[in-house]
């Protein structure tokens, strides 16, 4: 059945060869036998991707143990520069950013590490891991030898790689190889000087012994621009690809050495407004088996996807801007909440044919709890008061929301078009006049809306950053209001710009204020709601569903869970990890609803994600399904509340 070509590709890795004893700890490429070599013996890795930045620290160990128990011998990890260097000149490695603690847990669990420190990582992560402050240099060419980019990138790598050096396998740690850049061949710049500079830096800080490699997509163009002499060239592809053809392509760039698929896609990501993506378990396990039997080393991307908490999701820009959803479940073998799935069991059955998998039970799913409904109150402060600072040119707020304020230049008694002629709203704008909501505009899809009002009325435009583009030529994705707005025939000018640091306001309890006072219209548009989830003595995982709510952001205590947008979907529930909850104190819930809240103002904490209800519906009595899926109750225009 095997063609001659396939035979050529078969790695000698699989043949029983007597090896000479090498140094006690070594990890290298054996070009003679087309193999990796660990401590002088042939070695094939079976690895899975996991991103510590998408999992609460408390759960790192649990997820790693589940990967180990599946039979993996390695993990692959991205390091997002912007997660550690959110502000220029600051390098944060504490708490959820404690990379060395993560490496230590992996080492204790018995997992080797394939490190991908970027500086660009893609990963469907905000701006592909690059810090947004780089864009303060207006003409910067990211991912190139442009010094505006290369200088801060080199400073970051000096800090990061110096920390990583003791963790290299040769030095007593568990890092067996380190990727330079990431799929660089799919970027337009194709700048070999940049890649050579990175190569020099990586060698300078990591030494001569560690394997440095590149990963690129399965085309000649990508392999040509992404590979460099001295960096081992690997390839990535998913279940729709012809394995033999893909590895023949890798062989053209690496005639000898191990076959490596650095990203074998177990699933795929979701964008808001797109259909939920999934990849068939049978295809994944069958192809994994085929690659392993060729002696290839394989990393499964993702093995545990996790969550884009806060504002960390990325976006794509192909025909239009498409933002990545909050969940990074990825249809991976471990679910977003870290629970083993059928896909994991199928993969484990494949791995059993290639290596002994650890004895002992697979750790169970973490316990989940349905805390039930919480009714929220409108917080009677306007959004725009607490925690504001005024700025005009370079507002130092990179994520979340900015308020642009000016006045109407003339009377507009009839509905008059407000236009963004250059598509300069990045990414969504919520417009009100004298505090009364008028509607919204959206990048690429809604560039005109109508406004009415009097000359001198206050025009407020709340602009939402939906996550910066993480892939392709559009990664210089500036946010805010980037071009003039025109009302009728008038260009609007004299803007005041306010960064809205809602996260600090939430953390300081400013948005949990008492609700009392005189009546006020509770119209549509951006509003804060808050409430408490009573303590139950439990701090178990849960999923919050905002049925009837439109679009916004949710916080539990100080933690920003991410964006919700049930109207656009496909994601319908947000994952709330147990460690974010208090078992003993009431938990503070804050919701920023941008468009329209339902009149019931309830949110529901369930013990499973919404999607699981459908897949498990044969197990759940009908009445309970109804409980989960309360009718989508549209907002009545009640005038309510307070202040
Ligand atoms: C990694 O784990 C091994 C085995 O438990 C241990 O001997 C070694 O000291 C650990 N390395 C580090 C850097 O913690
Ligand atoms: C896969 O690619 C190989 C090499 O190009 C080719 O010989 C083979 O026919 C392909 N298989 C299929 C199913 O297309
Ligand atoms: C604006 O108002 C005009 C006049 O009422 C109407 O014809 C038009 O459809 C409206 N445009 C939008 C974008 O709502
Ligand atoms: C909720 O907010 C109150 C008032 O700000 C605070 O005292 C309490 O500690 C918060 N609860 C939790 C679990 O953080």
């Amino acid at each position: 059945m095997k063609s001659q070509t396939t035979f050529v590709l078969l790695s000698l890795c699989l043949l029983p060869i007597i090896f000479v004893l090498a140094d006690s700890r070594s990890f290298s490429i054996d070009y003679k036998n087309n193999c990796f070599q660990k401590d002088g013996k042939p070695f094939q890795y079976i690895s899975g991707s996991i991103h510590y930045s998408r999992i609460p620290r408390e759960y790192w160990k649990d997820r790693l143990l589940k990967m180990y128990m599946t039979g993996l011998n390695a993990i692959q990890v991205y390091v997002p520069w912007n997660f550690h260097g959110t502000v220029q000149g600051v390098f944060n490695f504490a708490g959820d950013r404690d990379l060395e603690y993560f490496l230590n847990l992996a080492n204790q669990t018995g997992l080797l590490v394939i490190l991908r420190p970027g500086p660009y990582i893609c990963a469907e992560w905000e701006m592909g891991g690059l810090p947004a402050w780089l864009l303060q240099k207006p003409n910067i060419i990211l991912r190139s030898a442009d010094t505006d980019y290369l200088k801060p990138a080199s400073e970051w790598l000096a800090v990061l790689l110096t920390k990583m050096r003791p963790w290299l396998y040769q030095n007593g740690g568990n890092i067996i190889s380190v990727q330079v850049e990431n799929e660089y061949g799919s970027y337009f710049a194709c700048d070999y000087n940049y890649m050579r500079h990175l190569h020099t830096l990586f060698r300078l800080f990591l030494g001569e012994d560690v394997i440095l490699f590149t990963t690129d997509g399965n085309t000649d163009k990508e392999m040509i621009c992404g590979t460099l002499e001295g960096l081992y060239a690997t390839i990535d592809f998913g279940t729709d690809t012809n394995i033999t053809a893909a590895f023949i392509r890798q062989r053209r760039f690496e005639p000898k050495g191990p076959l490596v698929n650095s990203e074998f896609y177990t699933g795929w990501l979701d964008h808001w407004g797109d259909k939920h993506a999934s990849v068939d378990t049978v295809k994944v396990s069958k192809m994994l088996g085929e690659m392993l039997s060729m002696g290839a080393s394989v990393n499964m991307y993702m093995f545990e996807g996790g969550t884009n908490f806060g504002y960390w999701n990325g976006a794509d820009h192909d025909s239009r801007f498409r933002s990545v959803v909050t969940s990074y479940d990825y249809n991976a073998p471990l679910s977003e909440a870290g629970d083993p799935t059928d896909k994991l069991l199928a993969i484990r059955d494949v791995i059993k044919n290639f290596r002994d998998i650890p004895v002992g039970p697979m750790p169970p799913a973490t316990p989940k709890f349905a805390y039930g409904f919480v009714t929220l109150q409108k917080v009677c402060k306007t959004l725009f008061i607490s925690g504001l600072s005024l700025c005009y040119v370079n507002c130092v707020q990179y994520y979340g929301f900015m308020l642009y304020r000016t006045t109407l230049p003339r009377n507009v008694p009839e509905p008059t078009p407000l236009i963004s002629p250059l598509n300069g709203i990045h990414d969504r704008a919520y417009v009100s006049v004298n505090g009364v909501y008028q509607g919204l505009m959206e990048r690429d899809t809604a560039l005109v809306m109508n406004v009415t009002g009097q000359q001198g009325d206050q025009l407020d435009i709340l602009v939402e950053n939906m996550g910066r583009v993480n892939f392709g030529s559009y990664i210089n994705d500036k946010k805010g209001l980037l071009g003039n707005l025109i009302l009728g025939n008038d260009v609007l000018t004299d803007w005041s710009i306010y960064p809205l640091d809602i996260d600090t306001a939430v953390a300081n309890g400013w948005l949990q204020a008492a609700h009392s006072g005189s009546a006020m219209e509770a119209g549509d548009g951006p509003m804060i709601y808050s409430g408490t989830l009573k303590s139950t003595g439990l701090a178990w995982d849960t999923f919050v569903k905002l049925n009837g709510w439109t679009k916004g952001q949710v916080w539990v205590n100080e933690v920003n869970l991410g964006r919700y947008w049930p109207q656009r979907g496909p994601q319908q529930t947000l994952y709330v990890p147990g460690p974010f909850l208090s078992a003993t104190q009431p938990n503070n819930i804050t919701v920023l609803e941008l468009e329209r809240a339902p009149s019931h103002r309830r949110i529901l904490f369930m013990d499973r994600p919404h999607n699981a209800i459908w897949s498990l519906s044969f197990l759940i009595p009908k009445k309970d399904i109804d409980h989960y899926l309360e009718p989508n109750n549209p907002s009545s225009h009640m005038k309510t509340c307070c202040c």
Side-chain angles (χ1 to χ4, degrees):
M1 179 212 119
K2 297 247 186 287
S3 71
Q4 208 177 352
T5 342
T6 319
F7 178 74
V8 172
L9 285 168
L10 268 173
S11 168
L12 295 178
C13 251
L14 301 173
L15 303 181
I17 293 170
I18 311 296
F19 281 84
V20 194
L21 273 182
D23 289 350
S24 58
R25 271 184 94 81
S26 66
F27 197 91
S28 59
I29 291 175
D30 176 354
Y31 288 98
K32 205 163 106 235
N33 295 300
N34 295 329
C35 230
F36 287 112
Q37 207 182 84
K38 178 170 169 281
D39 304 332
K41 297 194 194 74
F43 182 79
Q44 174 183 32
Y45 68 66
I46 307 175
S47 165
S49 284
I50 172 171
H51 301 157
Y52 58 94
S53 55
R54 286 177 158 134
I55 302 166
R57 174 188 169 109
E58 292 84 349
Y59 282 153
W60 290 349
K61 191 172 179 170
D62 171 73
R63 309 305 192 246
L64 291 167
L65 184 59
K66 287 167 178 162
M67 293 172 82
Y68 178 77
M69 293 308 294
T70 308
L72 305 187
N73 53 17
I75 58 170
Q76 196 201 59
V77 186
Y78 273 135
V79 183
W81 178 9
N82 56 6
F83 192 59
H84 298 275
T86 309
V87 177
Q88 187 165 15
V90 172
F91 304 103
N92 182 353
F93 288 94
D96 280 351
R97 292 163 170 79
D98 191 345
L99 172 56
E100 289 189 81
Y101 176 66
F102 181 82
L103 294 175
N104 192 24
L105 289 176
N107 185 51
Q108 283 171 16
T109 310
L111 290 165
L112 298 166
V113 172
I114 300 154
L115 191 75
R116 308 213 285 174
Y120 163 87
I121 60 167
C122 189
E124 287 80 63
W125 185 260
E126 148 75 36
M127 207 172 154
L130 299 177
W133 48 260
L134 290 170
L135 298 176
Q136 283 176 340
K137 301 273 187 188
N139 300 318
I140 191 167
I141 303 171
L142 300 168
R143 306 178 69 192
S144 79
D146 176 359
T147 47
D148 283 347
Y149 169 77
L150 207 49
K151 188 166 173 290
S154 307
E155 283 162 10
W156 158 243
L157 288 174
V159 172
L160 175 65
L161 299 181
T162 304
K163 263 185 200 294
M164 293 299 98
R165 187 166 188 153
W167 286 97
L168 299 180
Y169 187 78
Q170 295 81 349
N171 301 338
N174 51 349
I175 297 176
I176 52 172
S177 61
V178 180
Q179 183 184 291
V180 179
E181 244 281 347
N182 185 65
E183 293 184 335
Y184 188 61
S186 47
Y187 190 54
F188 71 89
C190 199
D191 179 348
Y192 292 109
N193 285 335
Y194 168 52
M195 287 299 282
R196 275 192 283 267
H197 177 91
L198 291 184
H199 183 196
T200 308
L201 273 186
F202 276 61
R203 282 282 169 234
L204 178 68
F205 290 110
L206 298 177
E208 292 302 318
D209 290 340
V210 65
I211 297 173
L212 298 180
F213 71 101
T214 56
T215 300
D216 281 287
N218 177 27
T219 65
D220 285 341
K221 190 254 163 199
E222 287 165 274
M223 293 297 281
I224 287 166
C225 288
T227 57
L228 190 76
E229 172 108 49
L231 307 177
Y232 190 74
T234 75
I235 198 159
D236 56 16
F237 57 89
T239 50
D240 292 339
T241 299
N242 177 327
I243 302 176
T244 313
F247 281 140
I248 287 174
R249 178 166 280 116
Q250 189 199 349
R251 272 282 169 263
R252 289 221 290 279
F253 293 81
E254 294 292 353
K256 290 271 174 192
L259 301 173
V260 181
N261 184 348
S262 288
E263 289 189 3
F264 172 53
Y265 303 109
T266 58
W268 201 248
L269 62 140
D270 282 339
H271 299 98
W272 292 116
D274 286 359
K275 242 183 77 193
H276 174 58
S278 61
V279 173
D280 181 59
T281 294
V282 174
K283 276 192 190 163
V284 169
S285 42
K286 182 167 168 285
M287 235 172 112
L288 176 67
E290 285 167 15
M291 288 186 287
L292 294 179
S293 61
M294 295 170 83
S297 283
V298 178
N299 173 68
M300 288 168 264
Y301 189 100
M302 296 295 298
F303 203 87
E304 153 70 348
T307 308
N308 296 308
F309 294 113
Y311 310 112
W312 287 118
N313 66 280
D316 278 290
H317 197 307
D318 25 52
S319 57
R320 63 182 170 84
F321 177 80
R322 292 187 303 152
S323 184
V324 174
V325 303
T326 302
S327 170
Y328 199 65
D329 178 272
Y330 212 84
N331 192 225
L334 284 168
S335 73
E336 175 178 17
D339 298 337
T341 64
D342 290 349
K343 195 174 274 180
L344 177 138
L345 300 177
I347 287 171
R348 189 176 60 167
D349 284 342
V350 170
I351 295 175
K352 273 180 191 157
N353 301 325
F354 298 91
R355 65 187 296 256
D356 293 337
I357 63 173
V359 193
M362 175 65 63
T366 45
K368 309 287 188 292
F369 194 72
Y371 298 92
F373 288 105
V374 171
T375 303
L376 304 182
Q377 308 285 323
K378 187 167 153 254
V379 175
C380 301
K381 274 179 185 171
T382 94
L383 235 189
F384 311 128
I385 295 173
S386 27
L388 290 191
S389 59
L390 182 62
C391 62
Y392 293 95
V393 187
N394 264 332
C395 294
V396 184
Q397 174 160 316
Y398 303 111
Y399 309 105
F401 300 87
M402 301 277 280
L403 176 68
Y404 292 76
R405 173 173 285 176
T406 187
T407 51
L408 296 185
R410 61 181 175 84
N411 289 343
V412 279
E414 299 301 324
T416 301
L418 175 67
I419 308 170
S420 169
L422 298 175
N423 193 12
I425 289 166
H426 287 195
D427 303 298
R428 279 190 125 222
Y430 307 89
V431 179
S432 39
V433 174
N434 279 355
V436 178
Y437 185 60
Q438 308 254 327
L440 63 86
M441 300 167 91
E442 185 174 309
R443 178 174 181 180
D444 291 340
T445 56
L447 309 184
V448 185
M449 61 172 280
N450 281 335
V451 165
T452 55
Q454 304 294 310
Q455 181 173 16
D457 281 357
Q458 180 173 294
L459 174 69
D460 278 334
I461 304 191
L462 182 69
V463 179
E464 178 185 13
N465 164 357
M466 285 285 296
R468 290 184 183 76
V469 172
N470 58 263
F471 181 77
S473 342
Y474 295 97
I475 56 172
N476 289 49
D477 187 15
K478 295 190 176 126
K479 296 302 191 183
L481 219 49
L482 304 188
N484 283 330
L485 292 187
I486 297 175
L487 179 64
N489 296 316
D490 300 308
V491 173
L492 296 175
T493 55
D494 297 324
W495 295 99
S496 302
I497 306 171
Y498 304 84
L500 293 184
D501 187 0
I502 300 172
D503 294 83
T504 301
V506 169
N508 291 336
W510 295 337
L511 302 178
Q512 291 285 320
H515 317 274
S516 64
S518 56
M520 189 189 93
E521 283 192 22
D524 295 337
M527 305 261 176
I528 299 269
Y529 297 83
S530 74
T532 50
L533 172 60
K534 290 195 194 69
S535 51
T536 52
L538 297 177
W540 287 4
D541 285 7
T542 186
F543 297 86
V544 62
K545 180 167 162 68
L546 288 98
N547 202 43
W549 299 72
T550 311
K551 182 183 196 307
Q553 204 89 26
V554 193
W555 289 260
V556 169
N557 299 319
E558 294 184 15
V559 186
N560 187 335
L561 295 179
R563 302 169 211 274
Y564 66 88
W565 201 354
Q567 220 184 40
R568 199 156 290 186
Q571 187 176 356
Q572 296 294 327
T573 44
L574 294 180
Y575 174 48
V576 187
F580 294 176
L581 295 171
S582 166
T584 54
Q585 286 185 56
N587 292 286
N588 301 312
I589 313 295
T590 312
V591 169
L592 165 60
E593 168 58 50
L594 295 161
E595 296 180 46
R596 176 184 281 196
S599 55
H600 59 68
R601 296 207 187 133
R602 285 184 309 180
I603 61 176
L604 177 62
F605 290 90
M606 321 196 307
D607 60 4
R608 67 201 71 193
H610 175 91
N611 288 343
I613 297 168
W614 299 110
S615 57
L616 295 175
S617 57
F618 61 96
L619 290 174
I620 305 174
K622 168 102 174 48
K623 65 176 172 37
D624 293 342
I625 291 182
D626 292 344
H627 167 76
Y628 284 115
L629 306 176
E630 51 172 331
N632 221 355
N633 189 351
S635 160
S636 65
H637 287 272
M638 281 196 314
K639 303 209 155 82
T640 45
C641 163
C642 51
C643 303

